[in-house]
Amino acid sequence: MTVVTRFAPSPTGFLHIGGARTALFNYLYARHFGGRYLIRIEDTDRQRSTEEAIAAIRDGLAWLGLEGDEPAIFQSRNATRHAEVARQLLADGQAYRCYMTTAELDAEREAARAEGRPVRIRSPWRDADPSEAPAGIDPVVRIKMPREGKTTIADKVQGDVTIDHEQLDDFILLRGDGSPTYMLSVVVDDHDMGITHVIRGDDHLTNAFRQYHLYKLCGWEPPVFAHIPLIHGPDGAKLSKRHGALGVDAYREMGYLPEAVKNYLLRLGWAHGDDEVISEAQAIDWFDLPQVGRSAARFDFAKLENLNGHYLREAEDARLTNLVVERLSRERTLDDVATTRLRDGMGGLKARANTVAQLAESAIFYIDRPVFPLENPKAAKLLSGGGAAVAREAGSALRDLDRWLEEDIEARLRRFAEEKEIGFGKVAQPLRAALTGSNASPGLFEVMAILGREETLARLARTPDHD
Ligand code: GLU
Protein backbone atom coordinates (compact mmCIF):
# COMPACT_ATOMS: atom_id res chain seq x y z
CA MET A 1 0.00 0.00 0.00
CA THR A 2 1.33 3.42 -0.91
CA VAL A 3 0.98 5.87 1.94
CA VAL A 4 -0.97 9.00 1.01
CA THR A 5 -1.32 11.80 3.55
CA ARG A 6 -2.83 15.23 3.35
CA PHE A 7 -2.82 18.56 5.07
CA ALA A 8 -6.32 20.04 4.94
CA PRO A 9 -6.38 23.63 6.20
CA SER A 10 -9.57 25.69 6.42
CA PRO A 11 -8.65 29.05 4.87
CA THR A 12 -10.17 31.26 7.53
CA GLY A 13 -6.90 32.85 8.67
CA PHE A 14 -3.14 32.54 8.41
CA LEU A 15 -1.21 29.27 8.54
CA HIS A 16 -0.73 29.07 12.28
CA ILE A 17 2.14 27.28 13.91
CA GLY A 18 0.01 24.27 14.93
CA GLY A 19 -1.17 23.86 11.34
CA ALA A 20 2.40 24.05 10.13
CA ARG A 21 3.33 21.22 12.48
CA THR A 22 0.42 19.11 11.23
CA ALA A 23 1.58 19.73 7.66
CA LEU A 24 5.14 18.79 8.60
CA PHE A 25 4.11 15.52 10.25
CA ASN A 26 2.03 14.57 7.21
CA TYR A 27 4.90 15.45 4.92
CA LEU A 28 7.47 13.49 6.91
CA TYR A 29 5.23 10.48 7.28
CA ALA A 30 4.63 10.31 3.53
CA ARG A 31 8.34 10.81 2.76
CA HIS A 32 9.39 8.21 5.31
CA PHE A 33 7.22 5.59 3.63
CA GLY A 34 7.95 6.73 0.10
CA GLY A 35 4.35 7.88 -0.32
CA ARG A 36 2.60 11.05 -1.41
CA TYR A 37 1.71 14.18 0.53
CA LEU A 38 -1.24 16.24 -0.68
CA ILE A 39 -2.85 19.57 0.15
CA ARG A 40 -6.59 20.13 0.32
CA ILE A 41 -8.00 23.58 0.93
CA GLU A 42 -11.23 23.13 2.90
CA ASP A 43 -13.02 26.17 1.58
CA THR A 44 -16.60 24.96 1.89
CA ASP A 45 -17.47 27.63 4.43
CA ARG A 46 -17.79 30.35 1.79
CA GLN A 47 -18.54 33.03 4.37
CA ARG A 48 -15.41 32.46 6.39
CA SER A 49 -12.98 31.40 3.67
CA THR A 50 -11.05 34.21 2.00
CA GLU A 51 -8.65 34.50 -0.90
CA GLU A 52 -6.17 36.28 1.39
CA ALA A 53 -6.21 33.33 3.78
CA ILE A 54 -5.67 30.87 0.93
CA ALA A 55 -2.72 32.95 -0.28
CA ALA A 56 -1.28 33.26 3.24
CA ILE A 57 -1.52 29.52 3.83
CA ARG A 58 0.08 28.69 0.51
CA ASP A 59 2.85 31.25 1.08
CA GLY A 60 3.52 29.78 4.51
CA LEU A 61 3.66 26.24 3.13
CA ALA A 62 5.93 27.32 0.28
CA TRP A 63 8.27 29.08 2.69
CA LEU A 64 8.52 25.91 4.79
CA GLY A 65 8.96 23.72 1.72
CA LEU A 66 5.74 21.89 2.58
CA GLU A 67 3.79 22.35 -0.61
CA GLY A 68 1.99 19.23 -1.74
CA ASP A 69 3.29 16.75 -4.28
CA GLU A 70 0.37 17.60 -6.56
CA PRO A 71 -1.64 20.78 -7.17
CA ALA A 72 -3.86 21.60 -4.18
CA ILE A 73 -7.43 20.30 -4.20
CA PHE A 74 -10.18 22.82 -3.45
CA GLN A 75 -12.95 21.13 -1.50
CA SER A 76 -15.67 23.51 -2.69
CA ARG A 77 -15.14 22.36 -6.28
CA ASN A 78 -16.20 18.82 -5.36
CA ALA A 79 -19.59 19.74 -3.89
CA THR A 80 -21.55 17.94 -6.63
CA ARG A 81 -19.69 14.72 -6.00
CA HIS A 82 -20.21 15.05 -2.22
CA ALA A 83 -23.97 15.46 -2.71
CA GLU A 84 -24.02 12.47 -5.05
CA VAL A 85 -22.55 10.26 -2.34
CA ALA A 86 -25.25 11.41 0.08
CA ARG A 87 -27.96 10.64 -2.44
CA GLN A 88 -26.49 7.17 -2.94
CA LEU A 89 -26.59 6.60 0.83
CA LEU A 90 -30.21 7.71 0.76
CA ALA A 91 -30.98 5.27 -2.04
CA ASP A 92 -29.23 2.49 -0.10
CA GLY A 93 -31.24 3.22 3.04
CA GLN A 94 -28.14 4.33 4.98
CA ALA A 95 -29.43 7.88 5.25
CA TYR A 96 -32.87 9.50 5.48
CA ARG A 97 -34.66 12.74 4.87
CA CYS A 98 -35.40 14.53 8.11
CA TYR A 99 -38.24 17.05 8.26
CA MET A 100 -37.80 18.18 11.83
CA THR A 101 -38.80 21.80 12.20
CA THR A 102 -36.71 24.45 13.91
CA ALA A 103 -39.13 24.36 16.82
CA GLU A 104 -38.73 20.60 17.21
CA LEU A 105 -34.96 20.85 17.06
CA ASP A 106 -34.99 23.63 19.64
CA ALA A 107 -37.17 21.52 21.91
CA GLU A 108 -34.68 18.61 21.67
CA ARG A 109 -31.82 20.94 22.53
CA GLU A 110 -33.75 22.46 25.40
CA ALA A 111 -34.60 19.02 26.82
CA ALA A 112 -30.96 17.96 26.64
CA ARG A 113 -29.90 21.12 28.42
CA ALA A 114 -32.51 20.64 31.13
CA GLU A 115 -31.33 17.08 31.72
CA GLY A 116 -27.70 18.20 31.65
CA ARG A 117 -26.75 15.85 28.83
CA PRO A 118 -25.09 16.65 25.53
CA VAL A 119 -27.41 17.40 22.63
CA ARG A 120 -28.05 14.35 20.46
CA ILE A 121 -30.76 14.79 17.91
CA ARG A 122 -32.99 11.73 17.71
CA SER A 123 -35.07 12.33 14.64
CA PRO A 124 -38.46 10.61 14.38
CA TRP A 125 -37.90 10.55 10.61
CA ARG A 126 -35.23 7.89 10.88
CA ASP A 127 -37.90 5.22 10.94
CA ALA A 128 -40.91 7.15 9.67
CA ASP A 129 -42.68 6.40 6.46
CA PRO A 130 -41.45 8.97 3.89
CA SER A 131 -45.00 9.23 2.55
CA GLU A 132 -45.88 11.10 5.74
CA ALA A 133 -43.45 13.86 4.82
CA PRO A 134 -44.95 17.29 5.29
CA ALA A 135 -45.19 19.58 2.29
CA GLY A 136 -43.33 22.85 2.09
CA ILE A 137 -40.25 21.81 4.11
CA ASP A 138 -36.87 21.28 2.49
CA PRO A 139 -35.59 18.27 4.41
CA VAL A 140 -32.01 17.75 5.49
CA VAL A 141 -30.39 14.37 4.84
CA ARG A 142 -29.11 12.62 7.95
CA ILE A 143 -26.88 9.59 8.22
CA LYS A 144 -28.17 6.50 10.03
CA MET A 145 -25.54 5.98 12.68
CA PRO A 146 -25.50 2.77 14.70
CA ARG A 147 -27.40 3.22 17.96
CA GLU A 148 -26.18 0.24 19.94
CA GLY A 149 -22.73 -1.00 20.74
CA LYS A 150 -19.39 0.75 20.64
CA THR A 151 -16.67 1.62 18.18
CA THR A 152 -12.96 1.51 18.89
CA ILE A 153 -10.54 3.40 16.74
CA ALA A 154 -6.91 2.29 16.93
CA ASP A 155 -5.44 5.77 16.78
CA LYS A 156 -1.73 5.76 15.99
CA VAL A 157 -1.02 8.43 18.56
CA GLN A 158 -3.86 8.23 21.08
CA GLY A 159 -3.97 4.43 21.19
CA ASP A 160 -7.33 2.65 21.28
CA VAL A 161 -10.13 5.14 21.73
CA THR A 162 -13.64 3.81 22.28
CA ILE A 163 -16.95 5.57 22.01
CA ASP A 164 -20.41 4.35 22.90
CA HIS A 165 -22.75 4.68 19.93
CA GLU A 166 -25.21 6.31 22.28
CA GLN A 167 -23.01 9.35 22.12
CA LEU A 168 -23.20 9.71 18.36
CA ASP A 169 -26.16 11.21 16.62
CA ASP A 170 -27.42 11.15 13.06
CA PHE A 171 -25.42 14.09 11.80
CA ILE A 172 -26.46 15.98 8.70
CA LEU A 173 -24.96 15.09 5.32
CA LEU A 174 -26.95 17.49 3.14
CA ARG A 175 -28.51 20.73 4.27
CA GLY A 176 -32.02 21.76 3.32
CA ASP A 177 -30.67 23.57 0.26
CA GLY A 178 -28.95 20.38 -0.88
CA SER A 179 -25.43 21.56 -0.03
CA PRO A 180 -23.05 19.02 1.56
CA THR A 181 -21.83 19.45 5.13
CA TYR A 182 -18.20 19.61 6.11
CA MET A 183 -18.31 16.13 7.69
CA LEU A 184 -19.48 14.58 4.42
CA SER A 185 -17.04 16.54 2.25
CA VAL A 186 -14.03 15.52 4.33
CA VAL A 187 -14.80 11.83 4.05
CA VAL A 188 -15.61 11.85 0.35
CA ASP A 189 -12.52 13.89 -0.49
CA ASP A 190 -10.25 11.76 1.69
CA HIS A 191 -11.62 8.67 -0.02
CA ASP A 192 -11.39 10.09 -3.53
CA MET A 193 -7.86 11.35 -2.94
CA GLY A 194 -6.86 7.89 -1.75
CA ILE A 195 -5.81 9.13 1.68
CA THR A 196 -4.48 6.24 3.74
CA HIS A 197 -3.45 8.14 6.88
CA VAL A 198 -5.25 11.08 8.45
CA ILE A 199 -2.81 12.89 10.71
CA ARG A 200 -4.29 16.00 12.33
CA GLY A 201 -4.91 17.87 15.57
CA ASP A 202 -6.67 16.00 18.38
CA ASP A 203 -9.47 18.57 18.33
CA HIS A 204 -10.80 16.40 15.48
CA LEU A 205 -10.82 13.16 17.46
CA THR A 206 -14.59 13.06 18.01
CA ASN A 207 -15.14 13.77 14.32
CA ALA A 208 -13.11 10.66 13.57
CA PHE A 209 -15.88 8.43 14.93
CA ARG A 210 -18.51 10.09 12.75
CA GLN A 211 -16.21 9.91 9.76
CA TYR A 212 -15.33 6.29 10.47
CA HIS A 213 -19.00 5.25 10.25
CA LEU A 214 -19.57 7.32 7.17
CA TYR A 215 -16.72 5.40 5.50
CA LYS A 216 -18.26 2.13 6.59
CA LEU A 217 -21.74 3.02 5.34
CA CYS A 218 -20.26 4.03 2.00
CA GLY A 219 -18.56 0.63 1.85
CA TRP A 220 -15.09 2.19 1.97
CA GLU A 221 -12.06 1.27 4.05
CA PRO A 222 -11.51 3.94 6.74
CA PRO A 223 -8.02 5.48 6.83
CA VAL A 224 -5.58 5.09 9.69
CA PHE A 225 -6.15 7.95 12.13
CA ALA A 226 -3.47 9.73 14.12
CA HIS A 227 -4.56 12.64 16.30
CA ILE A 228 -1.70 14.72 17.53
CA PRO A 229 -1.95 16.80 20.72
CA LEU A 230 -2.27 20.53 20.40
CA ILE A 231 0.55 22.92 21.13
CA HIS A 232 0.37 24.74 24.45
CA GLY A 233 2.19 27.74 25.84
CA PRO A 234 5.20 27.39 28.15
CA ASP A 235 2.83 27.66 31.13
CA GLY A 236 0.81 24.67 29.91
CA ALA A 237 -2.21 26.82 29.00
CA LYS A 238 -3.70 27.10 25.53
CA LEU A 239 -1.23 28.77 23.19
CA SER A 240 -1.71 32.54 23.25
CA LYS A 241 -0.38 35.09 20.76
CA ARG A 242 2.29 36.18 23.20
CA HIS A 243 3.42 32.58 23.53
CA GLY A 244 3.66 31.85 19.85
CA ALA A 245 0.13 31.35 18.47
CA LEU A 246 1.06 33.29 15.39
CA GLY A 247 1.04 32.82 11.68
CA VAL A 248 4.07 31.30 10.03
CA ASP A 249 4.60 34.67 8.32
CA ALA A 250 5.16 36.23 11.76
CA TYR A 251 8.00 33.78 12.42
CA ARG A 252 9.51 34.66 9.09
CA GLU A 253 9.27 38.35 9.96
CA MET A 254 10.83 37.75 13.37
CA GLY A 255 13.82 36.40 11.48
CA TYR A 256 13.58 32.66 11.87
CA LEU A 257 14.80 30.41 9.08
CA PRO A 258 12.35 27.86 7.70
CA GLU A 259 14.66 24.92 8.41
CA ALA A 260 14.90 26.02 12.06
CA VAL A 261 11.13 26.40 12.39
CA LYS A 262 10.67 22.94 10.89
CA ASN A 263 13.27 21.37 13.15
CA TYR A 264 11.67 23.05 16.14
CA LEU A 265 8.14 21.98 15.18
CA LEU A 266 9.36 18.44 14.65
CA ARG A 267 10.73 18.35 18.17
CA LEU A 268 7.49 19.77 19.49
CA GLY A 269 5.67 16.58 20.27
CA TRP A 270 8.01 14.10 18.60
CA ALA A 271 11.34 12.83 19.83
CA HIS A 272 14.26 10.79 18.61
CA GLY A 273 16.23 10.17 21.78
CA ASP A 274 17.77 13.44 22.94
CA ASP A 275 18.51 14.70 19.45
CA GLU A 276 17.76 18.39 19.09
CA VAL A 277 19.35 19.34 15.79
CA ILE A 278 17.80 17.09 13.19
CA SER A 279 18.34 17.53 9.48
CA GLU A 280 15.48 17.01 7.08
CA ALA A 281 17.11 13.83 5.75
CA GLN A 282 17.34 12.44 9.29
CA ALA A 283 13.78 13.49 10.02
CA ILE A 284 12.55 11.60 6.96
CA ASP A 285 14.63 8.62 7.97
CA TRP A 286 13.41 8.54 11.56
CA PHE A 287 9.88 9.92 11.56
CA ASP A 288 7.08 7.64 12.58
CA LEU A 289 3.92 8.06 14.62
CA PRO A 290 4.66 5.91 17.69
CA GLN A 291 7.23 8.50 18.83
CA VAL A 292 4.65 11.29 18.85
CA GLY A 293 3.81 12.10 22.47
CA ARG A 294 0.28 11.98 23.81
CA SER A 295 0.46 15.06 25.98
CA ALA A 296 0.34 18.64 24.74
CA ALA A 297 3.71 20.00 23.67
CA ARG A 298 4.88 23.29 25.16
CA PHE A 299 6.05 26.04 22.89
CA ASP A 300 9.30 27.65 23.96
CA PHE A 301 10.65 30.69 22.11
CA ALA A 302 14.06 30.40 23.77
CA LYS A 303 14.55 26.92 22.31
CA LEU A 304 13.42 28.02 18.88
CA GLU A 305 15.84 30.94 18.97
CA ASN A 306 18.66 28.66 20.01
CA LEU A 307 18.00 26.27 17.16
CA ASN A 308 17.69 29.18 14.78
CA GLY A 309 21.12 30.41 15.84
CA HIS A 310 22.51 27.02 14.94
CA TYR A 311 20.96 27.06 11.48
CA LEU A 312 21.98 30.67 10.95
CA ARG A 313 25.61 29.78 11.51
CA GLU A 314 25.26 26.89 9.08
CA ALA A 315 23.55 28.97 6.40
CA GLU A 316 25.50 30.18 3.39
CA ASP A 317 26.69 33.76 3.56
CA ALA A 318 25.18 34.61 0.17
CA ARG A 319 21.71 33.51 1.30
CA LEU A 320 21.95 35.43 4.57
CA THR A 321 23.21 38.48 2.72
CA ASN A 322 20.12 38.42 0.53
CA LEU A 323 17.86 38.15 3.59
CA VAL A 324 19.65 41.02 5.33
CA VAL A 325 19.64 43.16 2.18
CA GLU A 326 15.91 42.58 1.83
CA ARG A 327 15.31 43.76 5.39
CA LEU A 328 17.68 46.70 5.40
CA SER A 329 16.53 48.01 2.05
CA ARG A 330 13.03 48.57 3.45
CA GLU A 331 14.38 51.74 5.02
CA ARG A 332 17.33 52.70 2.84
CA THR A 333 18.76 52.17 -0.59
CA LEU A 334 21.71 49.81 -0.67
CA ASP A 335 24.38 50.27 -3.32
CA ASP A 336 26.97 47.73 -4.46
CA VAL A 337 29.49 48.90 -1.88
CA ALA A 338 26.98 48.26 0.91
CA THR A 339 26.05 44.82 -0.40
CA THR A 340 29.71 43.83 -0.78
CA ARG A 341 30.47 44.87 2.78
CA LEU A 342 27.52 42.84 4.04
CA ARG A 343 28.61 39.79 2.12
CA ASP A 344 32.23 40.11 3.25
CA GLY A 345 31.17 40.70 6.84
CA MET A 346 28.51 37.98 7.01
CA GLY A 347 30.79 35.31 8.50
CA GLY A 348 31.64 37.55 11.46
CA LEU A 349 28.10 38.85 11.84
CA LYS A 350 26.32 35.50 11.80
CA ALA A 351 28.53 34.15 14.55
CA ARG A 352 26.92 36.65 16.92
CA ALA A 353 23.21 36.56 15.97
CA ASN A 354 20.36 34.12 16.52
CA THR A 355 17.78 35.54 14.12
CA VAL A 356 17.85 37.27 10.75
CA ALA A 357 16.34 40.31 12.49
CA GLN A 358 19.29 40.44 14.92
CA LEU A 359 21.66 39.83 12.05
CA ALA A 360 20.25 42.76 10.07
CA GLU A 361 20.30 45.02 13.10
CA SER A 362 23.92 44.14 13.85
CA ALA A 363 24.92 44.75 10.22
CA ILE A 364 23.65 48.31 9.95
CA PHE A 365 27.01 49.82 10.89
CA TYR A 366 28.49 48.40 7.68
CA ILE A 367 26.12 50.69 5.80
CA ASP A 368 25.23 53.68 7.95
CA ARG A 369 27.78 55.63 9.92
CA PRO A 370 27.13 55.70 13.66
CA VAL A 371 25.02 58.65 14.77
CA PHE A 372 26.86 60.70 17.38
CA PRO A 373 26.49 61.12 20.27
CA LEU A 374 26.03 57.37 20.57
CA GLU A 375 22.77 56.18 22.12
CA ASN A 376 24.25 52.93 23.40
CA PRO A 377 25.51 53.98 26.88
CA LYS A 378 28.26 51.37 27.05
CA ALA A 379 29.61 52.44 23.66
CA ALA A 380 29.27 56.14 24.56
CA LYS A 381 31.32 55.53 27.70
CA LEU A 382 34.15 54.12 25.60
CA LEU A 383 34.34 57.46 23.79
CA SER A 384 34.53 59.49 26.98
CA GLY A 385 37.57 60.23 29.13
CA GLY A 386 39.91 60.52 26.17
CA GLY A 387 38.56 57.49 24.30
CA ALA A 388 37.40 59.54 21.30
CA ALA A 389 40.80 61.24 21.10
CA VAL A 390 42.49 57.81 21.02
CA ALA A 391 40.18 56.80 18.17
CA ARG A 392 41.01 59.97 16.21
CA GLU A 393 44.76 59.60 16.81
CA ALA A 394 44.71 55.92 15.89
CA GLY A 395 43.06 56.98 12.65
CA SER A 396 45.91 59.36 11.93
CA ALA A 397 48.43 56.66 12.71
CA LEU A 398 46.81 54.34 10.20
CA ARG A 399 46.84 56.88 7.41
CA ASP A 400 50.32 55.91 6.15
CA LEU A 401 49.70 52.16 6.13
CA ASP A 402 50.91 50.59 2.86
CA ARG A 403 48.46 47.75 2.64
CA TRP A 404 44.96 47.85 4.14
CA LEU A 405 44.99 44.27 5.35
CA GLU A 406 43.85 42.87 8.66
CA GLU A 407 47.32 41.82 9.83
CA ASP A 408 48.91 45.13 8.84
CA ILE A 409 46.15 47.09 10.58
CA GLU A 410 46.63 45.01 13.70
CA ALA A 411 50.42 45.43 13.72
CA ARG A 412 50.12 49.17 13.29
CA LEU A 413 47.56 49.52 16.08
CA ARG A 414 49.61 47.41 18.46
CA ARG A 415 52.59 49.67 17.82
CA PHE A 416 50.36 52.68 18.36
CA ALA A 417 49.29 51.31 21.76
CA GLU A 418 52.91 50.71 22.72
CA GLU A 419 53.94 54.20 21.67
CA LYS A 420 51.16 55.68 23.76
CA GLU A 421 51.97 53.29 26.57
CA ILE A 422 48.40 52.17 26.98
CA GLY A 423 46.95 48.68 26.96
CA PHE A 424 45.70 47.44 23.60
CA GLY A 425 42.13 47.25 24.93
CA LYS A 426 42.22 50.99 25.55
CA VAL A 427 42.79 51.44 21.83
CA ALA A 428 40.56 48.71 20.46
CA GLN A 429 37.44 49.50 22.46
CA PRO A 430 37.12 53.20 21.53
CA LEU A 431 37.87 52.26 17.91
CA ARG A 432 35.08 49.71 17.95
CA ALA A 433 32.64 52.24 19.38
CA ALA A 434 33.70 54.90 16.86
CA LEU A 435 33.39 52.56 13.90
CA THR A 436 30.32 50.52 14.80
CA GLY A 437 28.49 52.63 17.37
CA SER A 438 28.46 49.61 19.65
CA ASN A 439 30.60 47.95 22.29
CA ALA A 440 30.13 44.54 20.65
CA SER A 441 30.85 43.70 17.03
CA PRO A 442 32.74 41.24 14.87
CA GLY A 443 36.54 41.35 15.15
CA LEU A 444 37.85 44.90 14.96
CA PHE A 445 40.46 44.31 12.24
CA GLU A 446 37.94 42.45 10.16
CA VAL A 447 35.51 45.36 10.50
CA MET A 448 38.20 47.83 9.47
CA ALA A 449 39.32 45.75 6.52
CA ILE A 450 35.76 45.41 5.26
CA LEU A 451 34.89 49.08 5.76
CA GLY A 452 38.00 49.97 3.79
CA ARG A 453 40.64 52.56 4.42
CA GLU A 454 38.71 55.62 3.35
CA GLU A 455 35.57 54.88 5.32
CA THR A 456 37.46 53.75 8.42
CA LEU A 457 39.60 56.87 8.51
CA ALA A 458 36.60 59.11 7.84
CA ARG A 459 34.66 57.54 10.72
CA LEU A 460 37.56 57.82 13.13
CA ALA A 461 38.34 61.42 12.18
CA ARG A 462 34.77 62.58 12.89
CA THR A 463 34.43 60.87 16.29
CA PRO A 464 33.51 63.51 18.91
CA ASP A 465 34.32 63.39 22.60
CA HIS A 466 31.48 61.91 24.66
CA ASP A 467 32.07 63.70 27.94
N1 GLU B 1 -9.97 21.68 7.93
C1 GLU B 1 -9.72 21.19 9.25
C2 GLU B 1 -8.97 22.22 10.05
O1 GLU B 1 -8.39 23.12 9.48
C3 GLU B 1 -8.92 19.91 9.23
C4 GLU B 1 -9.77 18.75 8.93
C5 GLU B 1 -9.03 17.45 8.87
O2 GLU B 1 -7.78 17.44 8.92
O3 GLU B 1 -9.70 16.45 8.72
O4 GLU B 1 -8.97 22.16 11.25
Side-chain angles (χ1 to χ4, degrees), residues 125-336:
W125 293 97
R126 177 171 167 129
D127 305 307
D129 180 349
S131 68
E132 288 167 20
I137 292 189
D138 289 329
V140 299
V141 173
R142 289 184 187 274
I143 188 171
K144 269 191 197 166
M145 288 289 271
R147 289 233 166 133
E148 271 138 43
K150 300 172 197 292
T151 295
T152 298
I153 288 181
D155 191 280
K156 284 277 190 203
V157 171
Q158 307 289 331
D160 282 356
V161 191
T162 301
I163 202 166
D164 231 304
H165 292 165
E166 279 237 308
Q167 294 180 44
L168 302 170
D169 61 7
D170 293 346
F171 60 88
I172 297 175
L173 299 174
L174 291 183
R175 300 186 188 88
D177 62 6
S179 63
T181 57
Y182 166 71
M183 202 67 72
L184 171 65
S185 302
V186 168
V187 169
V188 178
D189 281 347
D190 278 342
H191 170 264
D192 289 357
M193 289 163 73
I195 302 301
T196 59
H197 291 71
V198 168
I199 304 168
R200 62 188 174 192
D202 66 7
D203 46 336
H204 288 283
L205 183 59
T206 41
N207 284 343
F209 289 96
R210 299 191 175 98
Q211 293 166 357
Y212 175 90
H213 283 288
L214 185 45
Y215 270 94
K216 288 284 186 196
L217 293 179
C218 289
W220 300 334
E221 183 62 32
V224 172
F225 288 104
H227 288 91
I228 54 183
L230 299 180
I231 300 174
H232 282 185
D235 52 359
K238 196 169 174 280
L239 199 62
S240 65
K241 277 226 166 95
R242 188 165 58 91
H243 288 146
L246 302 163
V248 163
D249 53 325
Y251 287 88
R252 181 181 188 168
E253 188 49 38
M254 284 185 276
Y256 295 106
L257 296 173
E259 60 269 38
V261 171
K262 268 161 93 170
N263 188 154
Y264 181 67
L265 288 177
L266 173 63
R267 287 289 293 105
L268 210 49
W270 177 89
H272 183 269
D274 290 332
D275 292 320
E276 289 291 345
V277 177
I278 300 172
S279 71
E280 181 152 331
Q282 288 170 321
I284 290 171
D285 219 18
W286 295 337
F287 189 82
D288 202 350
L289 294 167
Q291 300 94 340
V292 176
R294 271 196 220 180
S295 48
R298 294 187 181 201
F299 193 88
D300 182 345
F301 263 117
K303 270 194 179 172
L304 171 59
E305 190 171 319
N306 227 349
L307 258 180
N308 202 67
H310 168 84
Y311 282 101
L312 204 68
R313 280 177 269 293
E314 287 210 326
E316 291 205 353
D317 291 354
R319 174 184 172 206
L320 295 178
T321 303
N322 285 341
L323 291 173
V324 167
V325 165
E326 185 264 311
R327 267 170 200 264
L328 295 182
S329 45
R330 291 176 197 169
E331 282 163 15
R332 52 178 79 63
T333 320
L334 301 191
D335 57 14
D336 286 350

